[in-house]
Every structure is written in C-alpha cells, then in structure tokens.
Amino acid sequence: MGLADMRRSYDGTPLTEADLHEDPIVQVARWVAEAHDELKDATEVNAMAVATADARGRPSVRMALLKDLDERGLVFYTNLDSRKGREIRENPYASLCLHWQPVYRQIRVSGPVVEVSREEVDAYFAGRPPDSKRGAWASEQSAPIADRAAIEARMEELGRRFPDDDAIPTPTNWGGFRVEPDEIELWQGRPDRLHDRFLWTREGDGWTRVRLQP
Ligand SMILES: Cc1cc2nc3c(=O)[nH]c(=O)nc-3n(C[C@H](O)[C@H](O)[C@H](O)COP(=O)(O)O)c2cc1C
C-alpha cells in the first residue's frame, strides 16, 4: 500500500477546558503518568524527540529519554560534546515532542536550555547500570569511528580501567540538559482531523492558555 493511502482515524477521548490543570507542567506530568499506566508494557513512554538548531538556525532532531520533570523543566542526559550538545552551546534553545500513538496524544515543549548541575548529573549517573556507565566513557558521541570493533575494544579497555562496578565516575563531558518551557502544547487526536489543542505561553510568573485550531 502506498503512503498516500495510509490513514487512521484518531478516536481519542475529548480534551476539554475542564480537564486541564492551570499549570501546564502539572498537566504534562499527568499525561506522562497516564501514558505510563496504559502503555508501559508496549513502549518507552518517556522517549521524546529533541530538536536543536545550530548557530545558523539549521535544525536537527533525535530521540532522547525524559529523565526528570518538575517546575524547573524537562531533563535529558547525554554527551555534552555530541552534535546536540554542540548545537545547544551555540544556540541554547530546544523543542521537545512526546508522542503516544495508541492514545492519540502529543506534547510539544519549547524554551531555553540550561545545563543540569553536576550534583544532579552525578546522582543520575550513579544509578545507571555499570556497563552503561562504561559505555558513556567509551563513546565520543557523534564523532566518526572506523568500525564496530574499535568501540568494542574501547569498552574492553574501560573494563580494565574501571574494574570496580561501584567506582565508575561521571565523565566530565557527560551531563544533562534542562529545557525550561516557555511554551507547552497538548494535542489530543480526534475524529475527522478535528483535534483538541491547547497552547500555554509563559507570561511573567504564570501562564496564558489558548485553544488552537486543529
Ligand atoms: C528511544 C531512544 C532513546 C534515546 N535516548 C537517548 C538519551 O537519553 N540520550 C542520548 O544521548 N541519546 C539517546 N538516544 C540516541 C539519540 O537519538 C542520538 O542518536 C544520539 O544522542 C546522538 O545524537 P546527536 O548526534 O544528534 O547528538 C536515544 C535513541 C532512541 C531511539
């Protein structure tokens, strides 16, 4: 079947003004919790697209895992020297998109990006499985490498360098980014492409909200 013929109806539960918390971050947390309850066995509900742009404004996007969410913003962890890390240094803004196809829901968040404190990074890194920690040391993320064998050889070398699973430090070029939302949009798919959309925009200490056309 051709792509042009692929089509589904989005029969999501209606999303009305009465359903919404006035604080969009609380609302996002609710949706993440609901997605987790319904979909955790089927998919990684905290997977999100992370869009950045370079100094010339050229965008790039990739998936990352949402690892923390509170009033300060949404956090993901990565190699700070990766392409995304370099782009955020040049142009400290990002846009995020979470999507849960089975419940016809999408969340978009955008805003300035700040680095997560080293205390928070160390606390998160400490909880990773030992070989994921070694993997973070092994990879100069986004740099070219000759072949698979080269990265496996580096991993073996790191096994010798850090033999004790409980004593693997955080690489200095590994860390977290927090997107501090200035815009949050919730999208609920509905039949006939008449979706429910609400956009919050930060205004001073609070938020304003509008309903958007589908
Ligand atoms: C579901 C999923 C989750 C991912 N989570 C992360 C993550 O949390 N951090 C990360 O650095 N890369 C993650 N990746 C890999 C990134 O998509 C990407 O390949 C990598 O970060 C390099 O991106 P960059 O070259 O644009 O910096 C994930 C990939 C997928 C498919």
Side-chain angles (χ1 to χ4, degrees):
M1 186 191 267
L3 291 171
D5 298 319
M6 292 182 190
R7 168 171 307 120
R8 279 177 183 240
S9 180
Y10 298 154
D11 298 322
T13 322
L15 182 65
T16 69
E17 284 76 356
D19 300 320
L20 301 174
H21 196 282
E22 67 184 46
D23 181 338
I25 295 179
V26 174
Q27 186 63 45
V28 167
R30 269 190 199 164
W31 268 25
V32 171
E34 288 174 21
H36 180 73
D37 287 347
E38 286 186 44
L39 306 172
K40 62 176 181 304
D41 298 331
T43 187
E44 222 169 358
V45 296
N46 59 331
M48 60 184 182
V50 177
T52 54
D54 66 15
R56 292 178 300 168
R58 303 243 178 133
S60 67
V61 65
R62 79 290 291 155
M63 301 299 289
L65 296 175
L66 174 64
K67 285 292 177 177
D68 198 13
L69 165 65
D70 62 22
E71 286 304 317
R72 295 171 298 168
L74 290 83
V75 169
F76 62 92
Y77 289 96
T78 192
N79 183 304
L80 302 173
D81 296 327
S82 63
R83 176 173 176 175
K84 72 183 93 48
R86 288 196 306 269
E87 292 189 354
I88 288 168
R89 265 204 302 278
E90 289 175 11
N91 183 358
Y93 293 86
S95 187
L96 310 173
C97 186
L98 290 129
H99 172 228
W100 303 298
Q101 174 81 51
V103 292
Y104 316 111
R105 283 181 173 180
Q106 170 182 243
I107 297 176
R108 294 164 77 185
V109 173
S110 59
V113 182
V114 295
E115 242 186 86
V116 168
S117 72
R118 285 325 282 180
E119 292 71 33
E120 282 174 89
V121 171
D122 286 342
Y124 173 72
F125 193 81
R128 284 170 54 114
D131 280 337
S132 298
K133 293 181 179 173
R134 294 187 184 96
W137 277 94
S139 171
E140 289 172 28
Q141 193 178 52
S142 313
I145 190 158
D147 51 26
R148 175 94 204 165
I151 193 81
E152 286 172 358
R154 250 193 243 168
M155 200 59 178
E156 274 177 34
E157 196 183 303
L158 283 156
R160 290 189 292 275
R161 181 166 166 200
F162 298 122
D164 180 354
D165 282 355
D166 297 322
I168 308 172
T170 315
T172 53
N173 67 347
W174 193 93
F177 290 113
R178 174 174 284 113
V179 179
E180 301 181 326
D182 54 22
E183 277 191 356
I184 297 182
E185 183 197 322
L186 266 62
W187 180 100
Q188 174 68 70
R190 302 288 311 281
D192 304 324
R193 303 300 188 245
L194 297 182
H195 316 302
D196 291 322
R197 300 177 64 190
F198 293 95
L199 172 68
W200 285 259
T201 306
R202 202 184 279 280
E203 216 174 76
D205 288 342
W207 295 90
T208 56
R209 191 189 73 212
V210 291
R211 182 187 268 270
L212 299 178
Q213 296 186 41

